[in-house]
Amino acid sequence: MSNSSKNWSKNELKVYLLLLCAQADSELTQIEIDMIKQKTDSATFASLYKEFIKDDEDTSFEKIEASIGVLEYSQMELSDLKKELFRSDKKFTAAEQYLNKILDNILY
């Protein structure tokens, strides 16, 4: 696993998670990318996107789990984060539902 996730801020983790959720249906659209870009500055997005596209799913989950442990989220923060992740594009596909269950196991 790359060490870069060890130093993620909560916002950086959220951007990485948004990329993962957007990719859940195997299609990362320009609309989704533009929406995610609005959540952070361009340098942060570029860095995280470059890292994200190199990571396989297992690596992504490992990085997320490690970051969650380091960042010490409260249960309320985790709940709010999940709501934002899965309601951002107003769709909740079967792939996103599956990813939601995986993230439940990681987050809680």
Side-chain angles (χ1 to χ4, degrees), residues 57-104:
E57 190 174 80
D58 288 338
T59 300
S60 293
F61 292 142
E62 288 173 8
K63 287 180 176 184
I64 290 164
E65 188 171 19
S67 293
I68 293 288
V70 170
L71 293 171
E72 299 180 0
Y73 278 89
S74 70
Q75 290 300 317
M76 181 62 89
E77 286 176 306
L78 291 172
S79 177
D80 290 345
L81 178 60
K82 278 189 59 190
K83 286 177 189 173
E84 184 174 353
L85 293 174
F86 291 108
R87 296 204 175 118
S88 60
D89 68 356
K90 312 289 190 270
K91 294 182 239 172
F92 199 50
T93 66
E96 287 175 330
Q97 290 174 23
Y98 177 70
L99 179 59
N100 184 42
K101 288 179 184 179
I102 292 171
L103 288 176
D104 275 347

Side-chain angles (χ1 to χ4, degrees), residues 5 7-23 28 32-33 35-41 44-45 48-49 52 60 63-65 67-68 71 73 77-88 99 103 107:
S5 66
N7 298 320
W8 284 347
S9 67
K10 287 184 177 184
N11 185 59
E12 290 168 326
L13 176 59
K14 180 171 65 173
V15 170
Y16 192 89
L17 281 164
L18 285 168
L19 287 166
L20 182 65
C21 291
Q23 181 67 35
L28 187 59
E32 291 169 320
I33 290 172
M35 183 276 307
I36 296 167
K37 283 181 176 180
Q38 293 175 6
K39 305 282 183 186
T40 192
D41 62 86
T44 299
F45 176 83
L48 289 169
Y49 183 75
F52 176 77
S60 293
K63 287 180 176 184
I64 290 164
E65 188 171 19
S67 293
I68 293 288
L71 293 171
Y73 278 89
E77 286 176 306
L78 291 172
S79 177
D80 290 345
L81 178 60
K82 278 189 59 190
K83 286 177 189 173
E84 184 174 353
L85 293 174
F86 291 108
R87 296 204 175 118
S88 60
L99 179 59
L103 288 176
L107 299 177

